[in-house]
Amino acid sequence: MGEGGGFLGVERSLTGRRWRQRLADDRIGLALAQRLAIPEILGRVLAARGIDAESAGRFLAPRLREQLPDPSGFKDMDAAVARLVRAVCDSELIAIFGDYDVDGATSAALLRRFLEAAGGRVMVYVPDRIKEGYGPNAPALLKLQSEGVSVAVTVDCGITAHAPLATAAAAGLDVVVIDHHVGEPELPRAVAVVNPNRLDEQNPYGVLAAVGVAFLVAVGVNRALRQQGWYATRTEPDLLRLLDLVALGTICDVVPLTGINRALVVQGLKVMRKLSNLGMATLAEVAGVSERLDTYHAGFILGPRVNAGGRVGRADAGTRLLTTEDASEARALAQALDQWNAERREIEARTLEEAIAQVERSQTSLPIAFAAHEGWHPGVIGIVAGRLKDRYNRPACVVALADGIGKGSGRSVTGFALGPAVIAARQAGLLLNGGGHAMAAGFTVSEARMEAYRDFLAERVREIAGVNGLMPELGLDGALMPAAATPEFVTLLERLAPFGAGNAEPRFAFPSMVVHRAEVAGESHVRAILGDAAGALRLKAIAFRSLETELGRALLNGRGHSFHVAGHLRANNWQGRAEVQLQIEDAAAA
């Protein structure tokens, strides 16, 4: 700990963050390591994540059987199960009304695969992002009813769709809402609203992604069908085979990978690696993934491609890919999604450049980053908002304007819950629609109220953070010397995987590293060779998407200079040799 309080004395790094040691008292980590008979560094990392001796066993070896809650413990679950059981048994046509992101696509795919395997008649409807927007809309629901649907199940949406669901109910269409976004005191009109984030819920499962909630619904329906003898003459579906979908949606929705989510993802990754889902296996092949699938591949390779259909292509393509059993269809869909993802990256890059220019030009004093423009593609604004959030270390909103109406998406930082703020803005009459959770939200705003909405959010941030704004921090699990960066050490850390929100990947600082060589890699990365002061030990490193940042420029111009460098250690197998590479996230002059 440096004199100023920041870890290694870093109060403001090259990315504008204060370095903080995650574990305040190293003795806690040492005591945990001794009690569990594990290496000290593992004990330190576990303790920094709030894991004690009693919970360490469940954390290191999570068992779904021990952590899966009884579905009936959720409000309205039994009503939802009863309606879906009746629909299956009576051969009613069930429509799954999905969302166009990965959580929505996996939720819809899971329920379709399960209900069809159970003997139900199912169709999926995913609204067009541009023409229809997010969530249920009355014309689509009434059209589904006219096509013979008697039960509509909304997944990853519906909790704030009061008017559309009231119209559907008045028309005699039964609706079951399966969602996880923050609810309001008044629930929408439906047969059942299953949502762990209902304000009247008492259980601790608000961290579930929508696909996790959908899986619990499937467990409940399957149990009820078994109890009434439905499977006496037919094969019971194997719900465990659907856990690859649960893992993909949970990882991509960036919910905390702790507790029940950790158990779902650990078991789901095991299923994912078997490549039993034809669409997922084909997508991995088209994307060039040949190694063992993990959270990185789910979150950064497969997920963006499943997302791409809803962003710039066909909204239901992701769900169709994850449910098809036809190899030629799977290949065509995977290739289309891969191409749409490339197109999405190009659109995103242009939009990000324009958004940065807008923020730099007029908003440097605001505690939020806010950008809006006529003609921006609504399919990339969420990604661009995330990039602005990372660049400026503050909440960010990006709005695509068309005909006086803005479709917006926001991403937040630790310390400011964006979803509730968006709901408050809607209740104050500043938005036409909106909702979300702590770290992400979506909204619809008229161009005339956009500035007032921006100021509303800025004032909420000031109320929480004060005049100095939210101070961004970088959490670190300790300091290492280059000699510690071995394949064996990386393997040891992998015992803590899967990593994600709530279980951050271990991040370490390497003090006083000298830049021996640095060069541009690809279009925007900086690759470097770092070494200790004596020059005896060297470490390969890379800083992704850093070329135009202060971090990247410092590395490129820093040959012979000394930096404290922070990041993640990753195994890198090259030509049969096992090596370790440091993925640089931050640095500060030593």
Side-chain angles (χ1 to χ4, degrees):
M1 192 70 67
E3 293 180 1
F7 188 63
L8 296 178
V10 178
E11 287 296 315
R12 185 175 179 83
S13 67
L14 290 171
T15 65
R17 289 180 283 189
R18 178 180 183 271
W19 287 11
R20 172 184 55 81
Q21 183 166 279
R22 284 177 171 146
L23 184 61
D25 187 347
D26 287 339
R27 292 173 297 179
I28 299 174
L30 176 60
L32 183 61
Q34 291 174 340
R35 184 166 178 182
L36 298 175
I38 58 176
E40 180 185 347
I41 188 65
L42 208 61
R44 181 185 300 174
V45 175
L46 283 170
R49 283 146 186 78
I51 307 301
D52 56 23
E54 286 69 34
S55 60
R58 292 193 303 274
F59 184 86
L60 293 172
R63 297 177 181 273
L64 192 57
R65 181 177 299 176
E66 296 174 357
Q67 299 199 38
L68 194 70
D70 181 350
S72 292
F74 291 77
K75 290 185 180 298
D76 276 8
M77 179 67 83
D78 289 343
V81 166
R83 186 62 188 92
L84 290 174
V85 165
R86 179 156 61 91
V88 170
C89 295
D90 293 347
S91 294
E92 298 179 64
L93 182 58
I94 304 168
I96 311 298
F97 196 107
D99 185 23
Y100 29 66
D101 69 359
V102 184
D103 194 18
T106 52
S107 299
L110 184 149
L111 284 181
R112 179 173 188 171
R113 293 179 76 98
F114 162 68
L115 290 170
E116 287 184 340
R121 296 173 57 226
V122 187
M123 64 176 293
V124 172
Y125 184 90
V126 182
D128 183 273
R129 180 188 293 265
I130 296 176
K131 296 178 181 177
E132 298 174 86
Y134 167 79
N137 63 85
L141 290 171
L142 296 178
K143 183 174 184 293
L144 290 172
Q145 185 185 37
S146 71
E147 294 172 353
V149 170
S150 55
V151 183
V153 183
T154 73
V155 289
D156 198 27
C157 58
I159 191 65
T160 60
H162 297 277
L165 296 195
T167 299
L173 177 65
D174 287 345
V175 177
V176 173
V177 174
I178 301 174
D179 204 348
H180 73 132
H181 294 100
V182 177
E184 302 176 48
E186 181 184 357
L187 295 173
R189 188 176 171 188
V191 169
V193 178
V194 182
N195 184 342
N197 287 305
R198 283 174 49 158
L199 295 185
D200 57 349
E201 270 288 9
Q202 301 299 317
N203 66 54
Y205 299 109
V207 296
L208 283 167
V211 70
V213 184
F215 182 73
L216 289 174
V217 172
V219 170
V221 172
N222 197 56
R223 179 174 62 187
L225 288 170
R226 185 192 311 122
Q227 289 172 346
Q228 68 179 49
W230 180 252
Y231 297 126
T233 57
R234 51 177 58 82
T235 302
E236 181 174 336
D238 182 1
L239 290 178
L240 295 181
R241 292 191 62 189
L242 300 176
L243 286 173
D244 52 356
L245 295 171
V246 180
L248 180 60
T250 299
I251 292 167
C252 292
D253 214 50
V254 202
V255 292
L257 295 188
T258 56
I260 178 59
N261 283 342
R262 179 173 174 80
L264 288 169
V265 170
V266 166
Q267 301 306 320
L269 285 173
K270 294 177 183 177
V271 178
M272 190 182 295
R273 289 164 187 152
K274 295 178 182 178
L275 299 176
S276 57
N277 184 296
L278 175 63
M280 203 178 298
T282 306
L283 186 61
E285 180 186 346
V286 168
V289 178
S290 57
E291 60 268 31
R292 180 172 176 263
L293 293 173
D294 59 18
T295 53
Y296 169 78
H297 301 102
F300 295 98
I301 305 295
L302 303 180
R305 285 164 172 79
V306 171
N307 243 340
R311 293 190 183 280
V312 299
R314 180 170 171 175
D316 65 349
T319 301
R320 289 174 57 208
L321 175 73
L322 297 173
T323 54
T324 185
E325 297 294 342
D326 183 281
S328 60
E329 182 184 30
R331 172 71 55 176
L333 285 168
Q335 290 174 339
L337 287 167
D338 189 62
Q339 180 58 43
W340 284 330
N341 190 54
E343 180 182 343
R344 185 270 306 167
R345 286 198 297 264
E346 294 176 2
I347 297 171
E348 173 199 330
R350 292 196 301 270
T351 306
L352 178 60
E353 182 179 358
E354 293 171 359
I356 290 173
Q358 193 175 130
V359 173
E360 296 282 354
R361 188 167 56 245
S362 61
Q363 298 176 30
T364 54
S365 62
L366 284 178
I368 62 170
F370 197 101
H373 197 274
E374 187 80 24
W376 278 349
H377 198 297
V380 303
I381 56 176
I383 301 174
V384 173
R387 299 276 189 246
L388 292 181
K389 180 264 297 181
D390 292 338
R391 181 184 181 93
Y392 296 105
N393 291 309
R394 46 183 152 153
C397 289
V398 178
V399 183
L401 290 167
D403 301 323
I405 299 296
K407 298 289 186 181
S409 186
R411 299 292 184 269
S412 195
V413 297
T414 302
F416 181 69
L418 182 60
V422 168
I423 291 175
R426 178 169 60 79
Q427 293 172 339
L430 298 174
L431 297 176
L432 301 174
N433 198 6
H437 47 75
M439 304 306 288
F443 55 88
T444 304
V445 60
S446 69
E447 188 171 5
R449 304 306 302 272
M450 194 166 58
E451 187 173 335
Y453 169 60
R454 183 198 69 188
D455 293 343
F456 177 90
L457 287 183
E459 185 57 33
R460 296 277 290 218
V461 173
R462 290 191 187 99
E463 290 174 0
I464 292 173
V467 294
N468 294 323
L470 296 164
M471 179 61 185
E473 292 185 329
L474 187 74
L476 292 155
D477 289 294
L480 299 176
M481 298 304 290
T486 64
E488 294 77 16
F489 180 62
V490 173
T491 300
L492 178 67
L493 293 177
E494 286 176 352
R495 292 183 60 187
L496 307 179
F499 304 117
N503 180 33
E505 182 176 358
R507 182 189 293 117
F508 299 98
F510 289 81
S512 301
M513 299 295 288
V514 177
V515 179
H516 291 285
R517 187 171 75 243
E519 60 188 9
V520 178
E523 294 182 358
S524 61
H525 316 312
V526 175
R527 185 166 47 212
I529 300 294
L530 309 175
D532 59 5
L537 296 171
R538 298 199 173 189
L539 180 63
K540 292 183 177 180
I542 188 167
F544 290 112
R545 293 190 300 273
S546 66
L547 183 59
E548 299 299 326
T549 68
E550 188 175 351
L551 172 62
R553 289 190 290 269
L555 292 171
L556 288 171
N557 299 319
R559 184 172 182 177
H561 293 276
S562 181
F563 296 89
H564 301 319
V565 181
H568 306 294
L569 291 173
R570 297 283 173 81
N572 185 24
N573 295 312
W574 176 252
Q575 296 182 342
R577 297 194 308 271
E579 297 179 334
V580 172
Q581 183 181 62
L582 174 65
Q583 292 191 358
I584 300 174
E585 286 189 84
D586 204 356

